[in-house]
Amino acid sequence: MPAKRSPARRPTMKDIAQRAGVSESAVSFALNDRPGVSEITRDRVRRVAEQLGWRPSTAARALSGEGAATVGLVVARPADTLGVDSFFLQLISGIQEVLAERHLGLLFQVVEDVGDECAVYRRWWAEHRVDGVLVVDPRTDDPRPGLLEELGLPAVVIGGVPDTGHPGMSTVWADDAGAMASVVGELYALGHRRIAHIAGLPGLAHTERRIRTLRAEAERRGLSEVRSLTTDYSDSEGAAVTRRVLESGAPPTALVYDNDVMAVAGVATATELGFLVPRDVSVVAWEDSALCRMVRPWLSALSRDTVEFGRTAARELTALLDGGPARTVQVPVPRLIERESTGPAAGL
């Protein structure tokens, strides 16, 4: 029988001390960049540590107050809607790519509401679990920036707008208002005068920006039959709201959905009700994904590089962790890709 292999042993500070010919306390001073050893000793200890493949223990770093080598991400949304949301999957992919380059871990948690999210931040801070956090889904009346500022946790808000009230917090944002204005402009040019916006969760800052922009564009163009209806982003609510608006007395000739999942469910519902897309009703999805090209007709959609959005947010957070200043960074405006699901309004 072959001999059983012993698990590899991690090098310790004692190993480094023996190899470098110094005390363990000198190794600690050198590796933690503290006074008490000469520069010659510090350089020798660091070279030996590198040769042995030594890495600091994240648990020990947390106990000493030097950091956890981990950043946090909490999402306060219904858990059953996240698994099919392409935006979050791509966003997290971009975040993880940057964190992996820095050997940082990502602590991810799903909670019921913002109150629970704030409780998680307090617990992580008390337990030294994370060095900083990425904040998603900014609210119109949001308690999280003030709390994170109070706790002293570095944070990057993803999807917010420039916030002068919290100068120590970075923001990475996209111009949802500009994107909605471009969608309304394209639909108006196609002759659509009755437009329904199947929106996401009420109270989210980007949902409110899209609703406000749609209303403003409708007023500017003299459109009286334009409205927004909020949902939870799920396919079931997307289908239910689609049925409701299409069965109304004056159904819309164009539907704009706040994600790809609801748009696909909307096309299925419209077809079931006898509406042809795009002859009777045009459809636009806010998030472009493979799902938009797996249905017939292919869906017109707002496209952006969501993976790069995640990378940008993670880079801004690591810059804060390195002691850099807070910044506001705008990513490119999502652009409308017209496919088979949009066309001239019926009767034109």
Side-chain angles (χ1 to χ4, degrees):
M1 295 289 291
K4 184 177 180 180
R5 295 182 60 182
S6 300
R9 189 176 71 85
R10 296 184 181 90
T12 66
M13 285 193 178
K14 184 177 181 179
D15 297 327
I16 298 171
Q18 290 175 346
R19 176 78 68 88
V22 298
S23 66
E24 289 184 51
S25 60
V27 171
S28 178
F29 291 151
L31 295 178
N32 290 301
D33 203 23
R34 292 175 178 165
V37 293
S38 68
E39 286 304 313
I40 294 176
T41 299
R42 194 185 308 278
D43 290 342
R44 182 165 73 251
V45 167
R46 287 176 175 173
R47 283 199 305 273
V48 170
E50 184 67 27
Q51 292 166 3
L52 293 177
W54 178 86
R55 294 292 181 272
S57 162
T58 55
R61 284 169 57 85
L63 288 172
S64 65
E66 294 174 5
T70 302
V71 303
L73 172 62
V74 185
V75 178
R77 283 197 189 187
D80 57 356
T81 67
L82 289 177
V84 292
D85 194 322
S86 63
F87 172 80
F88 273 107
L89 295 176
Q90 294 178 60
L91 184 76
I92 292 173
S93 294
I95 290 169
Q96 185 59 45
E97 185 178 317
V98 172
L99 296 183
E101 293 172 357
R102 294 286 298 266
H103 305 291
L104 293 170
L106 177 65
L107 186 55
F108 178 70
Q109 189 162 340
V110 179
V111 296
E112 288 294 321
D113 53 37
V114 171
D116 290 341
E117 183 175 344
C118 289
V120 169
Y121 293 146
R122 290 186 184 278
R123 186 174 68 251
W124 283 353
W125 171 80
E127 296 174 353
H128 303 279
R129 296 288 298 278
V130 297
D131 297 323
V133 295
L134 295 157
V135 180
V136 295
D137 288 342
R139 265 66 176 177
T140 51
D141 185 15
D142 203 327
R144 296 172 296 173
L147 171 63
L148 293 168
E149 191 172 54
E150 173 192 326
L151 297 176
L153 269 177
V156 173
V157 178
I158 300 174
V161 293
D163 182 2
T164 56
H166 300 280
M169 185 173 294
S170 289
T171 300
V172 177
W173 71 292
D175 185 4
D176 289 289
M180 176 60 85
S182 72
V183 171
V184 175
E186 291 295 330
L187 292 175
Y188 185 85
L190 289 170
H192 295 281
R193 302 297 182 263
R194 300 195 303 274
I195 302 171
H197 169 213
I198 314 302
L201 288 165
L204 298 186
H206 64 262
T207 300
E208 300 303 326
R209 284 199 300 273
R210 295 172 191 178
I211 291 174
R212 284 197 306 271
T213 303
L214 177 64
R215 187 181 301 125
E217 288 294 310
E219 291 177 359
R220 187 170 71 85
R221 299 173 187 275
L223 306 179
S224 59
E225 297 181 80
V226 172
R227 55 178 169 157
S228 297
L229 303 96
T230 56
T231 70
D232 65 356
Y233 289 107
S234 69
D235 57 332
S236 58
E237 284 208 18
V241 174
T242 301
R243 180 176 296 275
R244 190 159 73 244
V245 298
L246 290 181
E247 288 181 336
S248 64
T253 62
L255 298 167
V256 181
Y257 294 86
D258 264 7
N259 71 5
D260 51 348
V261 174
M262 292 197 298
V264 170
V267 169
T269 301
T271 302
E272 179 186 334
L273 294 174
F275 288 79
L276 293 180
V277 178
R279 190 193 70 182
D280 302 317
V281 61
S282 288
V283 171
V284 176
W286 198 274
E287 295 294 338
D288 191 20
S289 71
L291 193 59
C292 295
R293 302 182 297 280
M294 294 173 67
V295 295
R296 285 289 184 270
W298 281 18
L299 299 184
S300 297
L302 281 161
S303 177
R304 59 178 163 189
D305 190 342
T306 306
V307 174
E308 182 58 28
F309 200 2
R311 291 191 195 105
T312 301
R315 290 189 192 108
E316 290 305 312
L317 183 56
T318 56
L320 287 178
L321 297 180
D322 290 339
R327 303 198 314 156
T328 295
V329 179
Q330 182 178 359
V331 298
V333 179
R335 61 187 182 88
L336 179 62
I337 297 180
E338 295 189 68
R339 298 192 181 105
E340 300 166 350
S341 68
T342 49
L348 293 183

